C-alpha cells in the first residue's frame, strides 16, 4: 500500500508537471484578439472608445437595446434586403447565433431604412431567427457612422468595441470562429465595476 | 480622396473636423479608406463654432461643408463654402495651395 501510495504520489506529481506544461503550451499558442483580426482584415479600436447605445424594435415587435446585452459578446450587422453583398452573410450569422448563442454570443441585425414587412419577408426567406432591429429613419446607422452595407461590429463582454468590418466577411471560417471563441472566453466584467463605469 | 497625394506633395496636411463622435468617424474613415485624420468636435462643437461653421439647417448641431486653407504661420489664406448635397471640387483649393506653396 505504501509503495502504491508513493508511486501514486509520483504519478500525481508527473501529472501536475504535464498539466503545467500543457497550460504553458496553450498560453503560448493562444493568439491575441489583435492577431485574430488580421486574417479577417478587421479593423481594431483604440482603447477608451465605446459603441453608441442603441434601442429599437425588432421585426417581431420586441424592444431590444445594447444596454440589455451587457456581459455578452455582440455581433452587430448593418444590412438591407437590397444589399447583394449582405445576403450571403446572413446564413453565416444565423449559424453563429445557433452555435454560440448559449455560450453568450448575441447576433443582432440592424436594418437600414426598410419597413417591418420587408424585413419579416427577408427573414422568413432566409430562415433567420436572430433579432433584426428596424431602423426606419437610419438613426442607429448614422450613430454608428455606417455609410455602406454590409458593415459589422464586434463588441466584447466588457462592452468595448473589438472590431469593424466594412464589407462582407467569411463569418463561418476558422479565423472568425477562433476570434469569437476567444472573445467568449474572456471574463465578463464584475457587476459592481460595470455599474461604476456607467 | 483622389487628390490627396497632390496636397501631400505640397506639404499640405488635410484634417477633417465634424460634430460626430470618434466611433462613427472611424466607421466613416474606414468605409472611404481616408488617408487623412478625422477630428471629433463633439460634444461641445467649439472648433466648428469658432469658425462660424455650424449648420442652421440642422439646428446648429452639425458642421457645414466649409474648407479653410491655413498657412505655416497659422493664418487663414482661403475659405470655400460647399453645399452638403454636392461633392466640392478640390481644384480651387489645390490651386490656392500651389500658389501659397510658391510664396512660402
Amino acid at each position: 500500500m505504501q509503495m502504491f501510495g508513493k508511486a501514486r504520489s509520483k504519478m500525481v506529481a508527473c501529472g501536475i508537471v504535464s498539466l503545467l506544461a500543457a497550460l504553458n503550451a496553450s498560453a503560448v499558442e493562444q493568439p491575441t484578439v489583435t492577431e485574430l483580426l488580421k486574417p479577417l482584415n478587421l479593423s481594431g479600436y483604440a482603447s477608451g472608445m465605446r459603441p453608441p447605445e442603441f434601442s429599437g424594435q425588432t421585426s417581431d415587435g420586441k424592444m431590444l437595446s445594447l444596454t440589455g446585452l451587457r456581459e455578452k459578446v455582440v455581433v452587430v450587422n448593418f444590412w438591407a434586403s437590397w444589399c447583394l453583398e449582405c445576403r450571403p452573410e446572413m446564413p453565416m450569422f444565423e449559424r453563429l447565433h445557433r452555435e454560440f448563442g448559449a455560450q453568450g454570443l448575441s447576433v443582432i441585425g440592424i436594418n437600414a431604412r426598410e419597413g417591418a414587412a420587408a424585413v419579416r419577408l427577408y427573414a422568413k426567406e432566409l430562415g433567420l431567427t436572430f433579432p433584426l432591429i428596424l431602423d426606419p429613419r437610419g438613426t442607429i446607422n448614422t450613430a454608428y457612422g455606417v455609410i455602406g452595407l454590409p458593415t459589422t461590429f464586434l463588441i466584447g463582454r466588457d462592452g468595448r468595441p473589438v472590431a469593424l468590418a466594412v464589407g462582407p466577411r467569411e463569418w463561418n471560417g476558422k479565423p472568425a470562429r477562433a476570434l469569437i471563441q476567444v472573445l467568449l472566453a474572456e471574463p465578463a466584467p464584475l457587476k459592481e465595476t460595470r455599474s461604476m463605469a456607467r | 480622396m483622389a487628390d490627396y497625394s497632390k496636397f501631400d506633395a505640397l506639404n499640405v496636411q488635410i484634417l477633417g473636423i465634424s460634430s460626430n463622435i470618434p466611433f462613427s468617424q472611424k466607421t466613416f474613415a474606414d468605409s472611404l479608406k481616408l488617408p487623412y485624420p478625422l477630428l471629433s468636435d463633439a460634444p461641445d462643437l467649439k472648433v466648428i463654432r469658432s469658425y462660424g461653421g455650424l449648420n442652421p439647417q440642422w439646428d446648429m448641431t452639425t458642421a457645414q461643408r466649409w474648407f479653410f486653407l491655413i498657412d505655416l504661420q497659422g493664418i487663414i489664406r482661403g475659405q470655400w463654402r460647399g453645399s452638403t448635397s454636392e461633392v466640392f471640387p478640390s481644384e480651387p483649393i489645390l490651386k490656392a495651395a500651389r500658389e501659397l506653396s510658391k510664396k512660402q
Side-chain angles (χ1 to χ4, degrees), chain A residues 62-96:
Chain A
K62 295 171 186 167
M63 286 304 291
L64 197 149
S65 70
L66 184 61
T67 312
L69 301 172
R70 288 191 192 277
E71 299 185 16
K72 287 178 177 281
V73 174
V74 187
V75 174
V76 184
N77 170 249
F78 288 82
W79 69 280
S81 65
W82 47 261
C83 165
L84 293 178
E85 288 188 312
C86 299
R87 206 175 178 87
E89 285 193 321
M90 289 304 194
M92 294 192 251
F93 288 131
E94 177 65 22
R95 191 172 160 189
L96 292 178

PDB file of all heavy atoms in Angstrom, chain A residues 62-96:
ATOM      1  N   LYS A  62     -40.493  43.180 -30.638  1.00  0.00           N
ATOM      2  CA  LYS A  62     -39.887  43.289 -29.304  1.00  0.00           C
ATOM      3  C   LYS A  62     -38.915  44.461 -29.274  1.00  0.00           C
ATOM      4  O   LYS A  62     -38.355  44.834 -30.300  1.00  0.00           O
ATOM      5  CB  LYS A  62     -39.137  41.994 -28.954  1.00  0.00           C
ATOM      6  CG  LYS A  62     -40.041  40.791 -28.821  1.00  0.00           C
ATOM      7  CD  LYS A  62     -39.234  39.520 -28.690  1.00  0.00           C
ATOM      8  CE  LYS A  62     -40.143  38.298 -28.701  1.00  0.00           C
ATOM      9  NZ  LYS A  62     -39.411  37.045 -28.889  1.00  0.00           N
ATOM     10  N   MET A  63     -38.717  45.025 -28.091  1.00  0.00           N
ATOM     11  CA  MET A  63     -37.723  46.092 -27.932  1.00  0.00           C
ATOM     12  C   MET A  63     -36.393  45.466 -27.535  1.00  0.00           C
ATOM     13  O   MET A  63     -36.341  44.543 -26.717  1.00  0.00           O
ATOM     14  CB  MET A  63     -38.172  47.091 -26.858  1.00  0.00           C
ATOM     15  CG  MET A  63     -39.295  48.010 -27.296  1.00  0.00           C
ATOM     16  SD  MET A  63     -38.922  48.965 -28.798  1.00  0.00           S
ATOM     17  CE  MET A  63     -37.656  50.068 -28.181  1.00  0.00           C
ATOM     18  N   LEU A  64     -35.331  45.967 -28.122  1.00  0.00           N
ATOM     19  CA  LEU A  64     -34.002  45.426 -27.830  1.00  0.00           C
ATOM     20  C   LEU A  64     -33.012  46.585 -27.747  1.00  0.00           C
ATOM     21  O   LEU A  64     -33.060  47.510 -28.560  1.00  0.00           O
ATOM     22  CB  LEU A  64     -33.593  44.461 -28.937  1.00  0.00           C
ATOM     23  CG  LEU A  64     -32.452  43.487 -28.654  1.00  0.00           C
ATOM     24  CD1 LEU A  64     -32.666  42.207 -29.442  1.00  0.00           C
ATOM     25  CD2 LEU A  64     -31.101  44.083 -29.001  1.00  0.00           C
ATOM     26  N   SER A  65     -32.143  46.537 -26.752  1.00  0.00           N
ATOM     27  CA  SER A  65     -31.143  47.601 -26.612  1.00  0.00           C
ATOM     28  C   SER A  65     -29.777  47.000 -26.365  1.00  0.00           C
ATOM     29  O   SER A  65     -29.653  45.869 -25.866  1.00  0.00           O
ATOM     30  CB  SER A  65     -31.516  48.530 -25.457  1.00  0.00           C
ATOM     31  OG  SER A  65     -31.359  47.857 -24.221  1.00  0.00           O
ATOM     32  N   LEU A  66     -28.744  47.758 -26.681  1.00  0.00           N
ATOM     33  CA  LEU A  66     -27.379  47.295 -26.446  1.00  0.00           C
ATOM     34  C   LEU A  66     -27.118  47.162 -24.946  1.00  0.00           C
ATOM     35  O   LEU A  66     -26.429  46.248 -24.507  1.00  0.00           O
ATOM     36  CB  LEU A  66     -26.378  48.276 -27.082  1.00  0.00           C
ATOM     37  CG  LEU A  66     -24.908  47.882 -27.015  1.00  0.00           C
ATOM     38  CD1 LEU A  66     -24.649  46.568 -27.743  1.00  0.00           C
ATOM     39  CD2 LEU A  66     -24.014  48.972 -27.594  1.00  0.00           C
ATOM     40  N   THR A  67     -27.706  48.059 -24.177  1.00  0.00           N
ATOM     41  CA  THR A  67     -27.543  48.009 -22.719  1.00  0.00           C
ATOM     42  C   THR A  67     -27.998  46.658 -22.165  1.00  0.00           C
ATOM     43  O   THR A  67     -27.390  46.118 -21.255  1.00  0.00           O
ATOM     44  CB  THR A  67     -28.383  49.123 -22.046  1.00  0.00           C
ATOM     45  OG1 THR A  67     -28.133  50.339 -22.748  1.00  0.00           O
ATOM     46  CG2 THR A  67     -28.030  49.280 -20.584  1.00  0.00           C
ATOM     47  N   GLY A  68     -29.046  46.105 -22.746  1.00  0.00           N
ATOM     48  CA  GLY A  68     -29.571  44.825 -22.292  1.00  0.00           C
ATOM     49  C   GLY A  68     -28.703  43.638 -22.680  1.00  0.00           C
ATOM     50  O   GLY A  68     -28.995  42.504 -22.301  1.00  0.00           O
ATOM     51  N   LEU A  69     -27.651  43.884 -23.433  1.00  0.00           N
ATOM     52  CA  LEU A  69     -26.774  42.796 -23.888  1.00  0.00           C
ATOM     53  C   LEU A  69     -25.425  42.815 -23.188  1.00  0.00           C
ATOM     54  O   LEU A  69     -24.471  42.201 -23.651  1.00  0.00           O
ATOM     55  CB  LEU A  69     -26.570  42.890 -25.410  1.00  0.00           C
ATOM     56  CG  LEU A  69     -27.845  42.806 -26.247  1.00  0.00           C
ATOM     57  CD1 LEU A  69     -27.547  43.098 -27.705  1.00  0.00           C
ATOM     58  CD2 LEU A  69     -28.488  41.434 -26.094  1.00  0.00           C
ATOM     59  N   ARG A  70     -25.321  43.540 -22.106  1.00  0.00           N
ATOM     60  CA  ARG A  70     -24.057  43.596 -21.368  1.00  0.00           C
ATOM     61  C   ARG A  70     -23.674  42.198 -20.897  1.00  0.00           C
ATOM     62  O   ARG A  70     -24.536  41.388 -20.601  1.00  0.00           O
ATOM     63  CB  ARG A  70     -24.175  44.539 -20.177  1.00  0.00           C
ATOM     64  CG  ARG A  70     -24.221  45.990 -20.612  1.00  0.00           C
ATOM     65  CD  ARG A  70     -24.074  46.928 -19.447  1.00  0.00           C
ATOM     66  NE  ARG A  70     -24.395  48.290 -19.861  1.00  0.00           N
ATOM     67  CZ  ARG A  70     -23.552  49.111 -20.466  1.00  0.00           C
ATOM     68  NH1 ARG A  70     -22.331  48.698 -20.743  1.00  0.00           N
ATOM     69  NH2 ARG A  70     -23.909  50.327 -20.804  1.00  0.00           N
ATOM     70  N   GLU A  71     -22.382  41.957 -20.862  1.00  0.00           N
ATOM     71  CA  GLU A  71     -21.774  40.675 -20.493  1.00  0.00           C
ATOM     72  C   GLU A  71     -21.819  39.682 -21.646  1.00  0.00           C
ATOM     73  O   GLU A  71     -21.305  38.583 -21.540  1.00  0.00           O
ATOM     74  CB  GLU A  71     -22.404  40.064 -19.239  1.00  0.00           C
ATOM     75  CG  GLU A  71     -22.257  40.957 -18.012  1.00  0.00           C
ATOM     76  CD  GLU A  71     -22.756  40.320 -16.754  1.00  0.00           C
ATOM     77  OE1 GLU A  71     -22.940  39.092 -16.730  1.00  0.00           O
ATOM     78  OE2 GLU A  71     -22.964  41.060 -15.780  1.00  0.00           O
ATOM     79  N   LYS A  72     -22.419  40.054 -22.775  1.00  0.00           N
ATOM     80  CA  LYS A  72     -22.418  39.165 -23.932  1.00  0.00           C
ATOM     81  C   LYS A  72     -21.427  39.668 -24.971  1.00  0.00           C
ATOM     82  O   LYS A  72     -21.124  40.863 -25.029  1.00  0.00           O
ATOM     83  CB  LYS A  72     -23.807  39.123 -24.569  1.00  0.00           C
ATOM     84  CG  LYS A  72     -24.823  38.337 -23.756  1.00  0.00           C
ATOM     85  CD  LYS A  72     -26.189  38.392 -24.427  1.00  0.00           C
ATOM     86  CE  LYS A  72     -27.199  37.554 -23.678  1.00  0.00           C
ATOM     87  NZ  LYS A  72     -27.096  36.123 -23.937  1.00  0.00           N
ATOM     88  N   VAL A  73     -20.929  38.746 -25.778  1.00  0.00           N
ATOM     89  CA  VAL A  73     -20.197  39.149 -26.975  1.00  0.00           C
ATOM     90  C   VAL A  73     -21.264  39.473 -28.023  1.00  0.00           C
ATOM     91  O   VAL A  73     -22.192  38.672 -28.227  1.00  0.00           O
ATOM     92  CB  VAL A  73     -19.280  38.015 -27.486  1.00  0.00           C
ATOM     93  CG1 VAL A  73     -18.632  38.385 -28.805  1.00  0.00           C
ATOM     94  CG2 VAL A  73     -18.220  37.681 -26.434  1.00  0.00           C
ATOM     95  N   VAL A  74     -21.177  40.642 -28.637  1.00  0.00           N
ATOM     96  CA  VAL A  74     -22.244  41.069 -29.552  1.00  0.00           C
ATOM     97  C   VAL A  74     -21.694  41.269 -30.961  1.00  0.00           C
ATOM     98  O   VAL A  74     -20.671  41.933 -31.149  1.00  0.00           O
ATOM     99  CB  VAL A  74     -22.914  42.381 -29.057  1.00  0.00           C
ATOM    100  CG1 VAL A  74     -24.128  42.725 -29.921  1.00  0.00           C
ATOM    101  CG2 VAL A  74     -23.323  42.271 -27.599  1.00  0.00           C
ATOM    102  N   VAL A  75     -22.375  40.674 -31.922  1.00  0.00           N
ATOM    103  CA  VAL A  75     -22.099  40.928 -33.331  1.00  0.00           C
ATOM    104  C   VAL A  75     -23.234  41.822 -33.839  1.00  0.00           C
ATOM    105  O   VAL A  75     -24.403  41.435 -33.763  1.00  0.00           O
ATOM    106  CB  VAL A  75     -22.074  39.617 -34.152  1.00  0.00           C
ATOM    107  CG1 VAL A  75     -21.921  39.923 -35.640  1.00  0.00           C
ATOM    108  CG2 VAL A  75     -20.946  38.711 -33.679  1.00  0.00           C
ATOM    109  N   VAL A  76     -22.905  43.033 -34.261  1.00  0.00           N
ATOM    110  CA  VAL A  76     -23.916  43.956 -34.784  1.00  0.00           C
ATOM    111  C   VAL A  76     -23.690  44.108 -36.280  1.00  0.00           C
ATOM    112  O   VAL A  76     -22.667  44.647 -36.707  1.00  0.00           O
ATOM    113  CB  VAL A  76     -23.832  45.335 -34.097  1.00  0.00           C
ATOM    114  CG1 VAL A  76     -24.962  46.242 -34.592  1.00  0.00           C
ATOM    115  CG2 VAL A  76     -23.892  45.208 -32.584  1.00  0.00           C
ATOM    116  N   ASN A  77     -24.640  43.616 -37.054  1.00  0.00           N
ATOM    117  CA  ASN A  77     -24.518  43.656 -38.516  1.00  0.00           C
ATOM    118  C   ASN A  77     -25.553  44.608 -39.106  1.00  0.00           C
ATOM    119  O   ASN A  77     -26.747  44.465 -38.865  1.00  0.00           O
ATOM    120  CB  ASN A  77     -24.717  42.236 -39.096  1.00  0.00           C
ATOM    121  CG  ASN A  77     -24.850  42.255 -40.609  1.00  0.00           C
ATOM    122  OD1 ASN A  77     -25.918  41.984 -41.149  1.00  0.00           O
ATOM    123  ND2 ASN A  77     -23.780  42.587 -41.302  1.00  0.00           N
ATOM    124  N   PHE A  78     -25.066  45.593 -39.854  1.00  0.00           N
ATOM    125  CA  PHE A  78     -25.961  46.525 -40.560  1.00  0.00           C
ATOM    126  C   PHE A  78     -26.192  45.997 -41.967  1.00  0.00           C
ATOM    127  O   PHE A  78     -25.235  45.674 -42.674  1.00  0.00           O
ATOM    128  CB  PHE A  78     -25.338  47.930 -40.591  1.00  0.00           C
ATOM    129  CG  PHE A  78     -25.356  48.609 -39.251  1.00  0.00           C
ATOM    130  CD1 PHE A  78     -24.376  48.325 -38.300  1.00  0.00           C
ATOM    131  CD2 PHE A  78     -26.346  49.518 -38.914  1.00  0.00           C
ATOM    132  CE1 PHE A  78     -24.393  48.948 -37.050  1.00  0.00           C
ATOM    133  CE2 PHE A  78     -26.365  50.143 -37.668  1.00  0.00           C
ATOM    134  CZ  PHE A  78     -25.384  49.854 -36.744  1.00  0.00           C
ATOM    135  N   TRP A  79     -27.453  45.938 -42.379  1.00  0.00           N
ATOM    136  CA  TRP A  79     -27.802  45.284 -43.631  1.00  0.00           C
ATOM    137  C   TRP A  79     -29.077  45.882 -44.225  1.00  0.00           C
ATOM    138  O   TRP A  79     -29.793  46.643 -43.584  1.00  0.00           O
ATOM    139  CB  TRP A  79     -28.020  43.787 -43.388  1.00  0.00           C
ATOM    140  CG  TRP A  79     -29.266  43.530 -42.565  1.00  0.00           C
ATOM    141  CD1 TRP A  79     -29.383  43.650 -41.209  1.00  0.00           C
ATOM    142  CD2 TRP A  79     -30.562  43.190 -43.054  1.00  0.00           C
ATOM    143  NE1 TRP A  79     -30.672  43.391 -40.826  1.00  0.00           N
ATOM    144  CE2 TRP A  79     -31.424  43.103 -41.935  1.00  0.00           C
ATOM    145  CE3 TRP A  79     -31.089  42.947 -44.324  1.00  0.00           C
ATOM    146  CZ2 TRP A  79     -32.772  42.781 -42.056  1.00  0.00           C
ATOM    147  CZ3 TRP A  79     -32.443  42.628 -44.446  1.00  0.00           C
ATOM    148  CH2 TRP A  79     -33.262  42.540 -43.308  1.00  0.00           C
ATOM    149  N   ALA A  80     -29.379  45.478 -45.440  1.00  0.00           N
ATOM    150  CA  ALA A  80     -30.668  45.805 -46.074  1.00  0.00           C
ATOM    151  C   ALA A  80     -30.998  44.697 -47.068  1.00  0.00           C
ATOM    152  O   ALA A  80     -30.098  43.997 -47.551  1.00  0.00           O
ATOM    153  CB  ALA A  80     -30.596  47.152 -46.786  1.00  0.00           C
ATOM    154  N   SER A  81     -32.281  44.558 -47.368  1.00  0.00           N
ATOM    155  CA  SER A  81     -32.699  43.450 -48.252  1.00  0.00           C
ATOM    156  C   SER A  81     -32.194  43.651 -49.676  1.00  0.00           C
ATOM    157  O   SER A  81     -32.007  42.684 -50.417  1.00  0.00           O
ATOM    158  CB  SER A  81     -34.229  43.317 -48.243  1.00  0.00           C
ATOM    159  OG  SER A  81     -34.816  44.473 -48.802  1.00  0.00           O
ATOM    160  N   TRP A  82     -31.968  44.911 -50.071  1.00  0.00           N
ATOM    161  CA  TRP A  82     -31.486  45.199 -51.429  1.00  0.00           C
ATOM    162  C   TRP A  82     -29.974  45.045 -51.561  1.00  0.00           C
ATOM    163  O   TRP A  82     -29.426  45.121 -52.659  1.00  0.00           O
ATOM    164  CB  TRP A  82     -31.894  46.611 -51.853  1.00  0.00           C
ATOM    165  CG  TRP A  82     -31.614  47.660 -50.817  1.00  0.00           C
ATOM    166  CD1 TRP A  82     -32.504  48.207 -49.933  1.00  0.00           C
ATOM    167  CD2 TRP A  82     -30.346  48.275 -50.523  1.00  0.00           C
ATOM    168  NE1 TRP A  82     -31.881  49.131 -49.119  1.00  0.00           N
ATOM    169  CE2 TRP A  82     -30.549  49.193 -49.467  1.00  0.00           C
ATOM    170  CE3 TRP A  82     -29.056  48.145 -51.058  1.00  0.00           C
ATOM    171  CZ2 TRP A  82     -29.523  49.962 -48.927  1.00  0.00           C
ATOM    172  CZ3 TRP A  82     -28.037  48.915 -50.517  1.00  0.00           C
ATOM    173  CH2 TRP A  82     -28.278  49.806 -49.472  1.00  0.00           C
ATOM    174  N   CYS A  83     -29.311  44.829 -50.458  1.00  0.00           N
ATOM    175  CA  CYS A  83     -27.833  44.756 -50.437  1.00  0.00           C
ATOM    176  C   CYS A  83     -27.386  43.345 -50.839  1.00  0.00           C
ATOM    177  O   CYS A  83     -27.538  42.390 -50.071  1.00  0.00           O
ATOM    178  CB  CYS A  83     -27.334  45.120 -49.038  1.00  0.00           C
ATOM    179  SG  CYS A  83     -25.620  44.679 -48.734  1.00  0.00           S
ATOM    180  N   LEU A  84     -26.847  43.225 -52.030  1.00  0.00           N
ATOM    181  CA  LEU A  84     -26.478  41.894 -52.544  1.00  0.00           C
ATOM    182  C   LEU A  84     -25.364  41.247 -51.727  1.00  0.00           C
ATOM    183  O   LEU A  84     -25.347  40.039 -51.524  1.00  0.00           O
ATOM    184  CB  LEU A  84     -26.051  42.002 -54.013  1.00  0.00           C
ATOM    185  CG  LEU A  84     -27.162  42.386 -55.007  1.00  0.00           C
ATOM    186  CD1 LEU A  84     -26.598  42.510 -56.410  1.00  0.00           C
ATOM    187  CD2 LEU A  84     -28.308  41.375 -54.967  1.00  0.00           C
ATOM    188  N   GLU A  85     -24.425  42.065 -51.276  1.00  0.00           N
ATOM    189  CA  GLU A  85     -23.292  41.507 -50.511  1.00  0.00           C
ATOM    190  C   GLU A  85     -23.689  41.104 -49.093  1.00  0.00           C
ATOM    191  O   GLU A  85     -22.971  40.363 -48.431  1.00  0.00           O
ATOM    192  CB  GLU A  85     -22.140  42.517 -50.463  1.00  0.00           C
ATOM    193  CG  GLU A  85     -21.420  42.657 -51.804  1.00  0.00           C
ATOM    194  CD  GLU A  85     -20.164  43.499 -51.693  1.00  0.00           C
ATOM    195  OE1 GLU A  85     -20.240  44.592 -51.102  1.00  0.00           O
ATOM    196  OE2 GLU A  85     -19.118  43.076 -52.199  1.00  0.00           O
ATOM    197  N   CYS A  86     -24.826  41.626 -48.634  1.00  0.00           N
ATOM    198  CA  CYS A  86     -25.291  41.275 -47.286  1.00  0.00           C
ATOM    199  C   CYS A  86     -25.848  39.838 -47.259  1.00  0.00           C
ATOM    200  O   CYS A  86     -25.738  39.132 -46.257  1.00  0.00           O
ATOM    201  CB  CYS A  86     -26.395  42.220 -46.828  1.00  0.00           C
ATOM    202  SG  CYS A  86     -25.906  43.952 -46.721  1.00  0.00           S
ATOM    203  N   ARG A  87     -26.455  39.461 -48.343  1.00  0.00           N
ATOM    204  CA  ARG A  87     -27.225  38.213 -48.397  1.00  0.00           C
ATOM    205  C   ARG A  87     -26.440  36.953 -48.025  1.00  0.00           C
ATOM    206  O   ARG A  87     -26.893  36.180 -47.187  1.00  0.00           O
ATOM    207  CB  ARG A  87     -27.840  38.071 -49.798  1.00  0.00           C
ATOM    208  CG  ARG A  87     -29.083  37.239 -49.832  1.00  0.00           C
ATOM    209  CD  ARG A  87     -29.686  37.253 -51.235  1.00  0.00           C
ATOM    210  NE  ARG A  87     -30.868  36.421 -51.295  1.00  0.00           N
ATOM    211  CZ  ARG A  87     -32.091  36.837 -50.994  1.00  0.00           C
ATOM    212  NH1 ARG A  87     -32.276  38.076 -50.609  1.00  0.00           N
ATOM    213  NH2 ARG A  87     -33.112  36.017 -51.056  1.00  0.00           N
ATOM    214  N   PRO A  88     -25.243  36.754 -48.601  1.00  0.00           N
ATOM    215  CA  PRO A  88     -24.501  35.533 -48.240  1.00  0.00           C
ATOM    216  C   PRO A  88     -24.036  35.507 -46.784  1.00  0.00           C
ATOM    217  O   PRO A  88     -23.768  34.437 -46.241  1.00  0.00           O
ATOM    218  CB  PRO A  88     -23.279  35.569 -49.172  1.00  0.00           C
ATOM    219  CG  PRO A  88     -23.607  36.535 -50.241  1.00  0.00           C
ATOM    220  CD  PRO A  88     -24.555  37.523 -49.641  1.00  0.00           C
ATOM    221  N   GLU A  89     -23.958  36.678 -46.159  1.00  0.00           N
ATOM    222  CA  GLU A  89     -23.515  36.715 -44.759  1.00  0.00           C
ATOM    223  C   GLU A  89     -24.597  36.215 -43.807  1.00  0.00           C
ATOM    224  O   GLU A  89     -24.298  35.696 -42.739  1.00  0.00           O
ATOM    225  CB  GLU A  89     -23.163  38.152 -44.352  1.00  0.00           C
ATOM    226  CG  GLU A  89     -21.861  38.663 -44.906  1.00  0.00           C
ATOM    227  CD  GLU A  89     -21.431  39.950 -44.203  1.00  0.00           C
ATOM    228  OE1 GLU A  89     -22.300  40.788 -43.905  1.00  0.00           O
ATOM    229  OE2 GLU A  89     -20.239  40.103 -43.951  1.00  0.00           O
ATOM    230  N   MET A  90     -25.852  36.396 -44.198  1.00  0.00           N
ATOM    231  CA  MET A  90     -26.951  36.134 -43.255  1.00  0.00           C
ATOM    232  C   MET A  90     -27.004  34.678 -42.752  1.00  0.00           C
ATOM    233  O   MET A  90     -27.151  34.451 -41.551  1.00  0.00           O
ATOM    234  CB  MET A  90     -28.289  36.537 -43.885  1.00  0.00           C
ATOM    235  CG  MET A  90     -28.457  38.044 -44.008  1.00  0.00           C
ATOM    236  SD  MET A  90     -28.258  38.806 -42.381  1.00  0.00           S
ATOM    237  CE  MET A  90     -28.880  40.436 -42.675  1.00  0.00           C
ATOM    238  N   PRO A  91     -26.890  33.672 -43.637  1.00  0.00           N
ATOM    239  CA  PRO A  91     -26.871  32.298 -43.117  1.00  0.00           C
ATOM    240  C   PRO A  91     -25.675  32.031 -42.208  1.00  0.00           C
ATOM    241  O   PRO A  91     -25.753  31.202 -41.291  1.00  0.00           O
ATOM    242  CB  PRO A  91     -26.786  31.445 -44.392  1.00  0.00           C
ATOM    243  CG  PRO A  91     -27.278  32.324 -45.486  1.00  0.00           C
ATOM    244  CD  PRO A  91     -26.875  33.711 -45.097  1.00  0.00           C
ATOM    245  N   MET A  92     -24.573  32.743 -42.449  1.00  0.00           N
ATOM    246  CA  MET A  92     -23.399  32.568 -41.586  1.00  0.00           C
ATOM    247  C   MET A  92     -23.678  33.127 -40.196  1.00  0.00           C
ATOM    248  O   MET A  92     -23.321  32.512 -39.188  1.00  0.00           O
ATOM    249  CB  MET A  92     -22.188  33.270 -42.209  1.00  0.00           C
ATOM    250  CG  MET A  92     -21.731  32.664 -43.517  1.00  0.00           C
ATOM    251  SD  MET A  92     -20.130  33.310 -44.016  1.00  0.00           S
ATOM    252  CE  MET A  92     -20.583  34.319 -45.418  1.00  0.00           C
ATOM    253  N   PHE A  93     -24.325  34.296 -40.149  1.00  0.00           N
ATOM    254  CA  PHE A  93     -24.680  34.869 -38.845  1.00  0.00           C
ATOM    255  C   PHE A  93     -25.690  33.970 -38.120  1.00  0.00           C
ATOM    256  O   PHE A  93     -25.621  33.799 -36.910  1.00  0.00           O
ATOM    257  CB  PHE A  93     -25.261  36.283 -39.022  1.00  0.00           C
ATOM    258  CG  PHE A  93     -24.233  37.312 -39.403  1.00  0.00           C
ATOM    259  CD1 PHE A  93     -24.454  38.165 -40.464  1.00  0.00           C
ATOM    260  CD2 PHE A  93     -23.044  37.433 -38.697  1.00  0.00           C
ATOM    261  CE1 PHE A  93     -23.507  39.122 -40.819  1.00  0.00           C
ATOM    262  CE2 PHE A  93     -22.087  38.385 -39.042  1.00  0.00           C
ATOM    263  CZ  PHE A  93     -22.325  39.230 -40.111  1.00  0.00           C
ATOM    264  N   GLU A  94     -26.609  33.406 -38.895  1.00  0.00           N
ATOM    265  CA  GLU A  94     -27.606  32.514 -38.294  1.00  0.00           C
ATOM    266  C   GLU A  94     -26.921  31.309 -37.644  1.00  0.00           C
ATOM    267  O   GLU A  94     -27.277  30.896 -36.539  1.00  0.00           O
ATOM    268  CB  GLU A  94     -28.597  32.050 -39.369  1.00  0.00           C
ATOM    269  CG  GLU A  94     -29.650  31.070 -38.906  1.00  0.00           C
ATOM    270  CD  GLU A  94     -30.619  31.656 -37.879  1.00  0.00           C
ATOM    271  OE1 GLU A  94     -30.764  32.883 -37.812  1.00  0.00           O
ATOM    272  OE2 GLU A  94     -31.225  30.843 -37.136  1.00  0.00           O
ATOM    273  N   ARG A  95     -25.915  30.801 -38.330  1.00  0.00           N
ATOM    274  CA  ARG A  95     -25.196  29.633 -37.798  1.00  0.00           C
ATOM    275  C   ARG A  95     -24.436  29.996 -36.514  1.00  0.00           C
ATOM    276  O   ARG A  95     -24.443  29.235 -35.552  1.00  0.00           O
ATOM    277  CB  ARG A  95     -24.222  29.106 -38.857  1.00  0.00           C
ATOM    278  CG  ARG A  95     -23.648  27.768 -38.496  1.00  0.00           C
ATOM    279  CD  ARG A  95     -22.862  27.184 -39.630  1.00  0.00           C
ATOM    280  NE  ARG A  95     -21.950  26.164 -39.124  1.00  0.00           N
ATOM    281  CZ  ARG A  95     -21.017  25.593 -39.850  1.00  0.00           C
ATOM    282  NH1 ARG A  95     -20.864  25.933 -41.110  1.00  0.00           N
ATOM    283  NH2 ARG A  95     -20.225  24.665 -39.332  1.00  0.00           N
ATOM    284  N   LEU A  96     -23.788  31.159 -36.521  1.00  0.00           N
ATOM    285  CA  LEU A  96     -23.084  31.610 -35.309  1.00  0.00           C
ATOM    286  C   LEU A  96     -24.077  31.786 -34.157  1.00  0.00           C
ATOM    287  O   LEU A  96     -23.805  31.402 -33.023  1.00  0.00           O
ATOM    288  CB  LEU A  96     -22.361  32.937 -35.571  1.00  0.00           C
ATOM    289  CG  LEU A  96     -21.178  32.922 -36.535  1.00  0.00           C
ATOM    290  CD1 LEU A  96     -20.618  34.329 -36.707  1.00  0.00           C
ATOM    291  CD2 LEU A  96     -20.074  31.975 -36.059  1.00  0.00           C
TER     292      LEU A  96
END
